[in-house]
Structure formats: C-alpha cells, structure tokens
Amino acid sequence: MRRSQAVLFSLGLVALYAAGGSPLHDLGEEYWLSAHMTQHLIFTIVAPPLLIAGTPAWLWEWLLVRPAVLPAARLLTKPLLA
C-alpha cells in the first residue's frame, strides 16, 4: 500500500467520523437541518471517493476476480445504470 492510499483511506475514515461521531451529528439530530444535510453530503459525496481511492489495488483485484462479481460490476458501472 502506498502512502498516498493510506492517507486517502484515513481521510475517508475521518470524514465518516466527522459526519457521524462528532458534535455535528448531535446538531443535525436535534437542532439544525443544515447540519443534518451536511452529514448526508459527507456520507455520500466526500467519504466514498476517499475510501475507494485509498483501497489497495490488490484488494480490488481479489474482489473482482470472483466469477459472478466482475460481470455484475461491469454492468452496474455503465453510465446509464450508475
């Protein structure tokens, strides 16, 4: 694993914690709709790309080598379906 991948993956975990485990969660739960929606943005736009970019290539290869997974992944990542 390269250092950049470790940094990206760690930033993804920090983003998940910031959205779900920090005081932002309490503010979004009880008081502000804007804080709640910020949580959703972090969960859907910020954290996933960081986690995906930080995942090592050997893990992707191991996951996608499965006979049923690769065809399904190819189908589900087509622009019209995605």
Side-chain angles (χ1 to χ4, degrees):
M1 175 182 259
R2 294 184 320 228
R3 183 180 176 99
S4 60
Q5 286 178 315
V7 169
L8 289 172
F9 195 82
S10 298
L11 286 173
L13 293 177
V14 167
L16 288 176
Y17 173 74
S22 70
L24 179 64
H25 173 72
D26 296 330
L27 288 173
E29 193 73 27
E30 299 292 330
Y31 301 108
W32 296 335
L33 177 64
S34 61
H36 179 72
M37 296 314 293
T38 300
Q39 280 183 287
H40 283 277
L41 288 174
I42 293 171
F43 283 141
T44 59
I45 296 176
V46 177
L50 290 171
L51 293 171
I52 290 171
T55 303
W58 63 265
L59 183 58
W60 287 117
E61 291 168 3
W62 180 78
L63 288 171
L64 295 176
V65 141
R66 308 282 182 231
V69 174
L70 188 57
R74 284 189 177 144
L75 178 68
L76 294 174
T77 55
K78 301 261 185 221
L80 289 176
L81 290 176

